[in-house]
Amino acid sequence: MAFGSASPDSGVDLRPPALNLTSWDDMCTEGGITFIIFLTIFALYMIMRCWYLAKNWSNKTVTSPFYSKSEEQDQSRFFPRVIEKIEDILILPFVPRALDSFVMWIFFGFFITTIPMAINRYYKKSWENDVFALQGPLNLISHLFGCGMLNTTSIPYTEVLEENPPPLFSQPPKSAKYERIDWFLFFHLSIGLLWLCAASLQIYKNKVGGWSFERGEHWKTHRMFGKVSLFIALLHTFMIMYITLENFVNQRLIIVIGYWGMVYQSVRLLYDGTKYASLTARSTGDEKKRFKKLHEMNMFILYVKTIRGSGTIRISAWLLWIVGQFLSPDMRDIIDRSCCQTYAEQGIGDASTCWKPVFLNLFMTNFINDWLELLYIHMKIHDDDGKAVTATVREEKQLIWAKFFVRVIVIIPTFPLLIFDDSISQWSLNFPQPFQFIIGNLAEISAYGMVIALFYIDFLFDAVPKCYESIQGFIQPDDEPMTVKED
């Protein structure tokens, strides 16, 4: 997108204007059509998937995912019906047929979106989070139609580094923490990819004949590789803690608190997953089945949350980036971290406000994680012979929806406060202290509450059980399905 060559001090806004959906020049020549291509592919998939599910379930004597509640089943409750409609539209059409294929899609997708970071370090001599892996295919389709391509931008973490990456298992250099960033990011990336591979393989092989068709040999190998995966998970969690503590890029306190919340989530899920694995080995009968299911759910959710840096955070960054192309420069600075940092480096933006797009990126990442977790839960709702979901899985589903409900409630006031932060800050000058400080920082204060809702909601529910119970009683869906009879 072309824009002026005036200097930052000339008073001319050097930031590119918003793309216009009704302008042929913006949509074709500038590559805005790539967003329409993405929406078209998404819509076609939704139509095909819904058609397949409707056809697949209409003639079977099993429990339909498109169940409806009878008139006697509390139709007066608003939130259960809202949740049911959301699931019908955004969850059920995407539920995979098998866990192994689901994990493979996650693995390859996340691996492809992570590798550009290593490529940038090798060829561009800097650490950057690039959206090219996601935008590149859309640009190629646009080019095949004879239109232009959107210029992708990166989120720079470092300046150009002249030295090669550090050797494997070397000691961190004893220098200023910013100068050690190469060492930290190299090992964080390496261990993160190792955990992505190990965890994906462990879950992928957890199927009939995964490690062996002989049951005893299968579970023996599963437990053995599980110990290897546990060691890698601990190493990955330790690196997350180390990087958060080091804070080598000087993130704002609010973002650091959010990162510590990620560490807490990882430790909690890792502890629960290993605890239920131990209980599974020592139990029998129905208790063994329940503990086994709790172990599987905790480890899958751990897998999704701890690989967010490989995929979900990059997917959310791309979504915010491509939507930002159609927004004003000021709005783009609020939601797109790459633009905010790039403009700040060029002297046409304020780097001190770049915590806002980082915060929104983390917020969207959590929503994508919730979506992946619900896809998994819906795979576990019915077993192979069509029996209803167990109470254990149903409770986990209700817990995910309770967290989602809290996050939505908190983001409602936070998002407009972020948008109008500058105006509110100016308005606050009309008030004496301490009201001036409180009003002027309402956006950041609200964002702190949002961070707690995003990353410490498990701790809140554990510490105050009545909090979860009250939310659960308010939104709990009556999700007993109906059986579809054969014609």
Side-chain angles (χ1 to χ4, degrees):
M1 190 184 303
F3 53 96
S5 58
S7 67
D9 298 329
S10 64
V12 178
D13 193 344
L14 303 182
R15 299 172 297 180
L19 293 176
N20 190 341
L21 286 169
T22 62
S23 169
W24 174 255
D25 185 62
D26 283 356
M27 296 306 294
C28 185
T29 307
E30 300 293 348
I33 197 173
T34 56
F35 186 57
I36 305 300
I37 293 172
F38 164 71
L39 294 178
T40 302
I41 294 173
F42 179 80
L44 288 175
Y45 176 85
M46 286 283 291
I47 293 171
M48 293 175 61
R49 187 67 176 156
C50 290
W51 174 82
Y52 168 79
L53 287 174
K55 180 181 179 182
N56 188 50
W57 289 98
S58 60
N59 297 317
K60 292 189 177 181
T61 314
V62 291
T63 306
S64 169
F66 294 103
Y67 57 81
S68 59
K69 298 178 173 62
S70 62
E71 292 296 328
E72 296 79 16
Q73 283 184 298
D74 200 5
Q75 286 296 298
S76 62
R77 298 175 67 185
F78 174 73
F79 282 103
R81 287 183 289 141
V82 171
I83 291 174
E84 180 186 337
K85 294 302 180 183
I86 293 174
E87 290 184 342
D88 285 348
I89 297 171
L90 297 179
I91 306 297
L92 294 175
F94 298 93
V95 176
R97 303 182 194 179
L99 180 59
D100 54 352
S101 61
F102 183 35
V103 170
M104 281 299 97
W105 275 108
I106 293 177
F107 169 74
F108 284 115
F110 285 20
F111 191 86
I112 290 171
T113 57
T114 305
I115 285 300
M117 192 169 185
I119 295 174
N120 284 333
R121 174 61 185 89
Y122 184 80
Y123 288 102
K124 299 174 67 174
K125 303 297 183 182
S126 65
W127 291 101
E128 299 178 3
N129 180 10
D130 208 321
V131 300
F132 178 76
L134 292 164
Q135 183 62 26
L138 298 176
N139 279 347
L140 178 60
I141 296 174
S142 176
H143 179 70
L144 293 176
F145 279 103
C147 290
M149 298 181 286
L150 275 178
N151 294 325
T152 58
T153 56
S154 302
I155 299 174
Y157 295 126
T158 67
E159 299 174 352
V160 175
L161 303 169
E162 298 299 333
E163 299 179 356
N164 293 324
L168 195 61
F169 299 121
S170 63
Q171 293 293 322
K174 296 182 183 299
S175 56
K177 66 179 182 179
Y178 185 79
E179 296 175 6
R180 301 203 297 267
I181 189 172
D182 201 29
W183 185 90
F184 282 111
L185 286 179
F186 175 74
F187 277 91
H188 181 52
L189 177 64
S190 302
I191 296 171
L193 286 174
L194 184 62
W195 166 241
L196 174 64
C197 295
S200 299
L201 182 61
Q202 177 73 343
I203 299 174
Y204 178 81
K205 287 289 189 177
N206 186 28
K207 59 180 180 178
V208 177
W211 294 107
S212 172
F213 282 101
E214 200 280 312
R215 182 177 177 84
E217 185 66 25
H218 168 79
W219 290 115
K220 179 182 177 181
T221 309
H222 178 79
R223 287 191 293 269
M224 181 180 66
F225 193 77
K227 294 176 182 178
V228 175
S229 301
L230 175 61
F231 173 76
I232 298 173
L234 288 170
L235 193 60
H236 180 54
T237 303
F238 175 75
M239 282 303 300
I240 297 174
M241 293 174 62
Y242 200 179
I243 288 178
T244 304
L245 183 64
E246 188 80 2
N247 190 23
F248 49 79
V249 292
N250 294 321
Q251 295 276 18
R252 290 281 287 270
L253 177 62
I254 183 173
I255 305 301
V256 174
I257 291 175
Y259 288 160
W260 278 116
M262 295 182 189
V263 173
Y264 169 77
Q265 289 177 341
S266 300
V267 172
R268 181 181 184 274
L269 288 166
L270 195 58
Y271 171 78
D272 287 345
T274 52
K275 178 184 70 174
Y276 290 127
S278 177
L279 290 172
T280 301
R282 302 199 305 265
S283 304
T284 58
D286 292 339
E287 280 293 293
K288 187 180 186 71
K289 294 178 181 179
R290 189 174 75 87
F291 287 137
K292 180 175 179 291
K293 187 162 290 186
L294 284 168
H295 166 68
E296 291 175 350
M297 288 191 298
N298 275 275
M299 296 312 290
F300 182 85
I301 295 174
L302 171 72
Y303 168 70
V304 169
K305 289 189 182 299
T306 51
I307 63 173
R308 75 180 98 203
S310 295
T312 44
I313 202 167
R314 302 175 192 275
I315 293 171
S316 63
W318 170 74
L319 286 171
L320 292 170
W321 171 80
I322 196 168
V323 170
Q325 305 306 305
F326 297 88
L327 301 178
S328 66
D330 289 337
M331 276 295 296
R332 198 180 306 138
D333 283 352
I334 294 174
I335 72 169
D336 182 9
R337 179 182 176 183
S338 63
C339 289
C340 183
Q341 292 187 182
T342 301
Y343 297 153
E345 288 179 352
Q346 296 172 356
I348 52 176
D350 185 3
S352 65
T353 63
C354 289
W355 68 269
K356 297 177 183 178
V358 175
F359 165 77
L360 290 175
N361 194 354
L362 293 176
F363 174 74
M364 278 209 57
T365 298
N366 272 268
F367 270 143
I368 296 175
N369 281 342
D370 288 344
W371 181 70
L372 291 173
E373 292 167 22
L374 284 170
L375 293 182
Y376 171 78
I377 291 299
H378 273 273
M379 293 177 65
K380 296 292 182 180
I381 283 183
H382 307 290
D383 55 22
D384 293 337
D385 59 356
K387 292 180 181 178
V389 62
T390 63
T392 302
V393 180
R394 188 184 298 118
E395 288 170 3
E396 185 63 33
K397 175 186 170 184
Q398 293 166 358
L399 177 61
I400 295 172
W401 275 114
K403 296 175 186 176
F404 179 86
F405 175 79
V406 172
R407 289 165 184 160
V408 169
I409 291 298
V410 179
I411 195 61
I412 289 174
T414 304
F415 190 65
L417 287 174
L418 291 175
I419 295 175
F420 300 107
D421 186 28
D422 291 339
S423 300
I424 295 174
S425 297
Q426 291 295 323
W427 180 61
S428 68
L429 299 177
N430 298 319
F431 296 86
Q433 294 289 2
F435 298 104
Q436 183 181 126
F437 174 81
I438 295 173
I439 297 173
N441 292 277
L442 273 179
E444 194 161 352
I445 293 171
S446 181
Y448 272 103
M450 188 70 237
V451 164
I452 293 173
L454 285 175
F455 301 109
Y456 296 92
I457 192 68
D458 295 297
F459 177 79
L460 178 63
F461 285 169
D462 291 341
V464 190
K466 289 186 178 180
C467 177
Y468 171 59
E469 292 171 4
S470 61
I471 296 173
Q472 182 189 29
F474 187 59
I475 69 170
Q476 176 181 348
D478 186 6
D479 56 359
E480 288 295 333
M482 296 177 61
T483 300
V484 179
K485 296 184 178 179
E486 191 173 14
D487 294 335

